[in-house]
Amino acid sequence: MNNKVSTYKRIIGVTGNHNALDHDWDEFMRDYSPHGYSKSLTMAGHMPIIIPLQEDLALAEQYVANLDGLVFTGGQDVSPLLYGREPSPRLQSVYPPRDRWERALFEAATKKNIPILAICRGFQLINILLNGTVYQDLSEYPIGQANAVQHIQNWSRMHFPHHSIKLEKGSIISNLFDNPKTLLINTYHHQVIEDLSPLLKATAWANDGVIESYEVDKSKSTYNILGVQWHPEMMTDNLEDNMLPIFEWFHNF
């Protein structure tokens, strides 16, 4: 038996999801999380804990009580009912049980004020929970074709970067990468931020103006939140364009 004391510095929760495969039978329901999240957190020196969806929302505070940080992961669209909109024709699949559970986790995490990393769906969800909105599809985003950027990669190798973003100097995301003016990212999303939450400030943009990263406006809130629209968990093995610093951010708390 290996009695070596663990050197992991932080216990980081990772929001899970349900996958019913091709059947609705209970025995085929799966609790799952894409491997990239737990792998990237482990590479960054943390101990990842995958949190399954729960119907009892009161359990959220018990989960969060044992965490040093929380990652809100990618996945389905967030229901527009959460931000007072009717579903548009281009809305894709939603999963209300996940919306309810992750809202409870977010409320528990902000009550304890643990750091939160929001990725893709999580990026949109946190903005919504802080009274922001999203365009339900990129086709609704007001940008001319001449300036449009492809935000849904039409090739499957997500560990390669796909387009560039401009960074706000001195922001969290910029400081993590030693303050470059631009960064190359991968991308796979069909929704984008419409109204940014009053508590957040944008810190990175695509060339078409789409917000790609945000953080908390410290003049308005003491929350510790970093949000990115891309999928850094798929780029932490890269020799170049490595996204591991995003997961190392939790070491600051």
Side-chain angles (χ1 to χ4, degrees), residues 37-250:
Y37 298 107
S38 54
K39 180 180 180 181
S40 298
L41 287 165
T42 300
M43 291 172 63
H46 308 302
M47 181 182 292
I49 302 293
I50 298 170
I51 304 174
L53 268 66
Q54 299 286 357
E55 293 182 3
D56 183 356
L57 303 185
L59 291 174
E61 287 198 11
Q62 289 183 253
Y63 276 103
V64 168
N66 296 295
L67 300 177
D68 299 307
L70 184 57
V71 177
F72 285 85
T73 59
Q76 302 100 328
D77 291 353
V78 179
S79 171
L81 299 180
L82 279 184
Y83 47 100
R85 303 284 177 82
E86 294 295 325
S88 79
R90 290 187 171 88
L91 180 72
Q92 296 182 10
S93 63
V94 298
Y95 193 41
R98 185 177 184 187
D99 293 343
R100 290 192 293 269
W101 175 239
E102 291 189 352
R103 178 170 57 186
L105 285 173
F106 177 73
E107 290 171 353
T110 51
K111 182 178 179 181
K112 187 181 176 184
N113 204 16
I114 61 173
I116 292 170
L117 173 60
I119 295 173
C120 200
R121 167 198 156 88
F123 177 82
Q124 297 159 6
L125 174 70
I126 299 309
N127 180 57
I128 290 166
L129 294 179
L130 291 175
N131 297 315
T133 63
V134 301
Y135 289 106
Q136 293 182 46
D137 187 75
L138 279 161
S139 62
E140 301 171 1
Y141 181 72
I143 188 72
Q145 275 302 116
N147 297 317
V149 171
Q150 187 183 74
H151 291 278
I152 304 176
Q153 290 184 216
N154 60 9
W155 56 320
S156 62
R157 297 192 178 271
M158 290 286 292
H159 55 284
F160 293 124
H162 188 65
H163 72 74
S164 64
I165 57 174
K166 304 170 187 176
L167 306 181
E168 179 76 21
K169 185 177 181 180
S171 63
I172 293 173
I173 192 65
S174 178
N175 288 341
L176 287 174
F177 294 93
D178 298 324
N179 288 302
K181 292 183 178 180
T182 62
L183 197 65
L184 292 175
I185 64 168
N186 58 5
T187 183
Y188 198 82
H189 60 97
H190 82 109
Q191 297 189 329
V192 297
I193 287 179
E194 179 180 7
D195 298 312
L196 186 64
S197 162
L199 297 185
L200 300 173
K201 60 180 181 180
T203 57
W205 302 262
N207 285 339
D208 57 8
V210 165
I211 297 173
E212 296 283 356
S213 182
Y214 59 59
E215 62 187 65
V216 170
D217 184 339
K218 287 298 187 178
S219 70
K220 299 179 180 179
S221 175
T222 60
Y223 296 159
N224 294 297
I225 300 173
L226 172 62
V228 296
Q229 181 64 90
W230 65 95
H231 283 275
E233 78 282 0
M234 296 183 182
M235 294 180 63
T236 49
D237 278 337
N238 292 15
L239 294 178
E240 297 180 0
D241 309 306
N242 190 295
M243 293 291 166
L244 193 60
I246 290 175
F247 297 92
E248 294 174 333
W249 172 70
F250 286 110

Side-chain angles (χ1 to χ4, degrees), residues 11-36:
I11 299 175
I12 308 298
V14 179
T15 58
N17 199 0
H18 281 162
N19 180 6
L21 302 181
D22 294 325
H23 305 281
D24 292 326
W25 308 331
D26 288 345
E27 59 264 39
F28 285 98
M29 184 69 77
R30 301 286 189 271
D31 289 307
Y32 82 100
S33 173
H35 181 59

